[in-house]
Amino acid sequence: MSLLVVGTMAFDAIETPFGKTDKIIGGSATYVAYAASNFVQPVQQVSIVGYDFPQEEMESLQSRGVNLEGVEIVPDKKSFFWSGKYHMDMNSRDTLVTDLNVLADFNPILPDSFKDAEFVMLGNLMPSLQKRVIEQLSGQQKLIVADTMNFWMDIALEDLKEVLTMVDVLLVNDSEARQLTGEFSIVKAANKILTMGPKYLIVKKGEHGALLFHGKQVFFAPALPLEDVFDPTGAGDTFAGGFIGHLARTKDISFENMKTAIIVGSAMASFCVEKFGPDRLREITKADIDTRLSEFVQLVNFDINLV
Amino acid sequence: MSLLVVGTMAFDAIETPFGKTDKIIGGSATYVAYAASNFVQPVQQVSIVGYDFPQEEMESLQSRGVNLEGVEIVPDKKSFFWSGKYHMDMNSRDTLVTDLNVLADFNPILPDSFKDAEFVMLGNLMPSLQKRVIEQLSGQQKLIVADTMNFWMDIALEDLKEVLTMVDVLLVNDSEARQLTGEFSIVKAANKILTMGPKYLIVKKGEHGALLFHGKQVFFAPALPLEDVFDPTGAGDTFAGGFIGHLARTKDISFENMKTAIIVGSAMASFCVEKFGPDRLREITKADIDTRLSEFVQLVNFDINLV
């Protein structure tokens, strides 16, 4: 079962109430690949990096079954760099630096062997690039999932709306769902987004969990209550990686299985936030993931005897 | 199975983004009684009202099995009155008016027949009054649950801490849990509160659901995603009423059954917010409650096949 992942591979410098990093590995596609490769291999990665992206990181990803054939290396430019500072509640952050570097020239070209990937994860990218990726696909995909962000709603709304008509699942956070629709109620916003193209909508609420909408159906997955959220960077991408990784592994895109996939995504995200960058994702084993999934079962499982 | 409820019966005037009311029925004990009486009767009510509290409201409660023997009627004073205005997110509100009226003289006296109630719900009240109620009890109670609020942490913290050593379950919201402990992390705050007396802690997060902590165990119940939250007034008290009502009905205070009780509380709260004041709680039937509980099962139920 093949999974295509398109997004950034980059450097981040992060400041949280718990500490501060120099340049560390980041990027949406990096987090998706680390999460998804626990469930499905190969992960067919499409991205762009500069001369400064570490060879060891490439090898670390390859050792997890990430096929880097679609990652362009630009020899005379630097990798995309983002720097941000989180506030105490970890739900809000200030961007300190955005150096596009190689990302300014990104024109994703899919290797021929990637074009019939059955599952596609379009990480947060300029909507016109997401569209260009979709147009290169064979059209035989089982599921296309797209992430996006408020920034594209501000500057590329029409492109984004076109992308929405081309994907099966959209991932946004609660404020983005509101911005995209002008509806304050998340339920009303979701119903509106489901008329814009996607058949499934996932609304991420950070520490407050995530909602899956499909037609009139709705499913809720909590975030695991943690003593400390050390660094939320990449948690949304890690969630996406766990979600699509589970679907690609099971080859089942029913609503029931998507519920499980959301729990898997939440479990992966709960690891991500425990350390800076993707450090925790590099450490965890299948046994760790199983244990964490059991914790989610305990967290939400209840018996009801109707009164 | 007997349930004792102590709290306010009052008038509220409420403004939300969806509308505005004149004086309508409110009060913590009112909401608790409306919710709990769906599950257990009689509800032994202890409160205080003025000459202006409507006889029809008393009769409406009595017709649901609420025993008003412990409700003092002060002939020459008005009932407690609160007026507030909610902001768009419904999680924050401004208090416009607080007229204590009869509440300034409240000295709850338990009728003898109430003193061996097996389940006790202490609604949000001055901690010294909650303590006075506990001291009148026979000491044979199965479970004592107490609600409180930030106001008492500001002006009566020592009394509140004493109450905490006398109760089994504490109900607070997330910001109150933080204020009570000085811990920003809800998990850390919960662990600290569990050393202060209560064996169980429920942290209410409004539209983001509720968490139940007990020792190292944790359970999460979502709020039902609603198109509109019309008026959140009384939702926390209604939640408490559903919670303790289910426990009193089943006479089972195991952690497993408390999980179910939290879902019942969440279901009752989801009705409360659909109309102003307790209006919706007066309408619903057991069939409505069963349907809503089924929606909660759908909302959080998932299959996991560990990878």
Side-chain angles (χ1 to χ4, degrees):
Chain A
M1 185 57 50
S2 50
L3 169 62
L4 171 65
V5 175
V6 185
T8 55
M9 295 172 68
F11 290 112
D12 292 335
I14 300 155
E15 193 175 337
T16 80
F18 300 103
K20 201 176 161 168
T21 69
D22 286 331
K23 272 190 179 182
I24 59 171
I25 296 296
S28 61
T30 309
Y31 283 102
V32 172
Y34 270 114
S37 58
N38 287 286
F39 306 96
V40 62
Q41 296 187 359
V43 172
Q44 299 172 326
Q45 191 91 332
V46 172
S47 190
I48 188 167
V49 297
Y51 64 83
D52 53 351
F53 201 80
Q55 186 59 31
E56 315 87 78
E57 187 62 26
M58 298 291 213
E59 285 162 9
S60 167
L61 287 165
Q62 281 170 322
S63 73
R64 284 151 205 271
V66 182
N67 178 341
L68 300 175
E69 203 189 324
V71 178
E72 183 185 350
I73 303 173
V74 182
D76 60 347
K77 285 199 172 170
K78 286 186 169 185
S79 301
F80 175 51
F81 172 67
W82 175 83
S83 169
K85 180 178 174 171
Y86 289 87
H87 302 283
M88 193 62 194
D89 72 0
M90 293 285 192
N91 286 331
S92 58
R93 67 185 188 189
D94 296 328
T95 289
L96 304 176
V97 180
T98 306
D99 289 338
L100 285 181
N101 300 326
V102 292
L103 205 58
D105 308 320
F106 190 28
N107 179 19
I109 305 293
L110 303 193
D112 282 341
S113 62
F114 287 14
K115 291 180 180 175
D116 56 1
E118 291 189 75
F119 289 83
V120 177
M121 177 68 226
L122 300 171
N124 172 36
L125 268 184
M126 203 192 311
S128 59
L129 295 184
Q130 293 180 319
K131 187 183 158 200
R132 209 171 296 168
V133 170
I134 296 169
E135 288 169 347
Q136 294 174 62
L137 294 168
S138 67
Q140 302 304 308
Q141 278 60 45
K142 209 166 160 100
L143 198 76
I144 302 178
V145 181
D147 193 6
T148 190
M149 73 184 294
N150 54 349
F151 183 66
W152 309 119
M153 297 173 194
D154 292 335
I155 70 161
L157 183 60
E158 289 314 307
D159 285 346
L160 176 59
K161 284 185 173 171
E162 203 179 340
V163 168
L164 292 186
T165 67
M166 306 166 86
V167 304
D168 302 299
V169 183
L170 178 69
L171 280 166
V172 286
N173 69 31
D174 43 2
S175 70
E176 290 157 356
R178 289 181 171 127
Q179 179 171 350
L180 189 55
T181 59
E183 292 286 353
F184 186 83
S185 155
I186 293 298
V187 176
K188 285 184 179 172
N191 290 340
K192 231 180 215 186
I193 291 171
L194 290 178
T195 68
M196 297 166 84
K199 291 184 285 293
Y200 300 88
L201 171 69
I202 296 171
V203 179
K204 298 173 290 179
K205 304 198 299 171
E207 62 165 321
H208 299 304
L211 286 158
L212 168 67
F213 294 92
H214 173 58
K216 290 282 152 210
Q217 294 177 287
V218 56
F219 175 70
F220 177 83
L224 196 70
L226 294 168
E227 290 221 351
D228 292 307
V229 171
F230 204 74
D231 171 20
T233 309
D237 302 311
T238 304
F239 173 93
F243 173 74
I244 202 160
H246 173 80
L247 294 177
R249 181 181 76 83
T250 54
K251 311 180 191 187
D252 172 0
I253 58 169
S254 67
F255 186 74
E256 284 308 310
N257 195 45
M258 283 207 190
K259 291 180 173 186
T260 307
I262 296 237
I263 296 289
V264 173
S266 300
M268 298 310 295
S270 75
F271 287 119
C272 177
V273 303
E274 290 180 335
K275 291 195 176 178
F276 274 116
D279 278 3
R280 186 74 179 113
L281 296 179
R282 290 197 190 93
E283 296 169 355
I284 53 170
T285 63
K286 281 206 186 288
D288 292 328
I289 296 171
D290 283 356
T291 302
R292 183 85 21 129
L293 287 171
S294 303
E295 287 176 55
F296 273 85
V297 174
Q298 289 304 309
L299 182 64
V300 300
N301 184 47
F302 64 90
D303 286 322
I304 206 95
N305 294 305
L306 296 184
V307 290
Chain B
M1 183 57 52
S2 51
L3 169 62
L4 171 66
V5 175
V6 185
T8 56
M9 294 172 67
F11 289 112
D12 292 336
I14 300 158
E15 192 175 338
T16 80
F18 300 102
K20 198 174 161 170
T21 71
D22 287 330
K23 271 189 179 185
I24 59 171
I25 296 296
S28 61
T30 309
Y31 283 103
V32 173
Y34 270 114
S37 59
N38 287 285
F39 306 96
V40 61
Q41 296 187 357
V43 172
Q44 299 173 325
Q45 191 90 334
V46 173
S47 189
I48 188 166
V49 297
Y51 63 84
D52 53 352
F53 200 80
Q55 185 59 30
E56 316 87 78
E57 187 63 25
M58 297 291 212
E59 285 162 9
S60 168
L61 287 165
Q62 281 170 322
S63 74
R64 286 152 204 269
V66 182
N67 178 341
L68 301 174
E69 203 188 322
V71 178
E72 183 184 349
I73 302 173
V74 183
D76 58 347
K77 285 199 171 170
K78 287 187 168 186
S79 300
F80 174 50
F81 172 67
W82 175 82
S83 169
K85 180 178 173 170
Y86 289 88
H87 302 283
M88 193 62 195
D89 72 358
M90 294 284 193
N91 287 331
S92 58
R93 67 185 188 189
D94 296 328
T95 289
L96 304 176
V97 180
T98 305
D99 288 338
L100 284 181
N101 300 327
V102 293
L103 205 58
D105 310 319
F106 190 29
N107 179 21
I109 305 293
L110 303 194
D112 283 342
S113 63
F114 287 15
K115 292 181 179 174
D116 57 0
E118 290 188 75
F119 289 84
V120 178
M121 177 69 226
L122 300 170
N124 171 36
L125 269 184
M126 203 192 314
S128 59
L129 296 184
Q130 292 179 319
K131 187 183 158 200
R132 211 171 295 166
V133 170
I134 296 169
E135 288 169 345
Q136 294 173 63
L137 293 168
S138 66
Q140 303 303 309
Q141 279 61 45
K142 208 167 161 96
L143 196 77
I144 302 178
V145 181
D147 193 7
T148 190
M149 73 183 295
N150 54 350
F151 183 67
W152 308 120
M153 297 172 194
D154 292 335
I155 70 161
L157 184 59
E158 290 313 307
D159 285 346
L160 176 60
K161 283 185 174 172
E162 203 178 340
V163 169
L164 293 186
T165 66
M166 304 165 87
V167 304
D168 301 300
V169 183
L170 178 69
L171 280 166
V172 286
N173 69 29
D174 42 3
S175 69
E176 290 157 357
R178 288 180 172 128
Q179 179 173 349
L180 189 55
T181 59
E183 292 285 352
F184 186 82
S185 155
I186 293 299
V187 176
K188 286 184 178 172
N191 290 339
K192 231 180 215 184
I193 292 171
L194 290 177
T195 68
M196 297 166 84
K199 291 184 285 294
Y200 300 88
L201 171 70
I202 296 171
V203 179
K204 299 173 289 180
K205 304 198 299 172
E207 62 165 322
H208 299 304
L211 287 158
L212 169 66
F213 294 92
H214 173 58
K216 289 281 151 210
Q217 294 177 286
V218 56
F219 175 69
F220 176 84
L224 196 71
L226 294 168
E227 290 221 352
D228 293 308
V229 171
F230 204 75
D231 171 19
T233 309
D237 302 311
T238 304
F239 173 92
F243 172 74
I244 202 159
H246 173 80
L247 294 178
R249 180 180 78 83
T250 53
K251 311 180 191 187
D252 172 1
I253 57 168
S254 67
F255 186 74
E256 283 308 309
N257 195 46
M258 284 208 189
K259 291 180 173 185
T260 306
I262 294 237
I263 296 288
V264 173
S266 301
M268 298 310 295
S270 74
F271 286 117
C272 178
V273 302
E274 290 180 334
K275 291 194 175 180
F276 274 116
D279 278 3
R280 187 73 180 115
L281 297 179
R282 290 196 190 94
E283 297 170 354
I284 54 169
T285 63
K286 281 208 186 288
D288 292 327
I289 297 171
D290 284 355
T291 302
R292 184 92 8 137
L293 288 171
S294 303
E295 287 176 54
F296 273 85
V297 174
Q298 289 304 311
L299 181 63
V300 301
N301 184 45
F302 65 90
D303 286 321
I304 206 93
N305 294 305
L306 295 183
V307 291

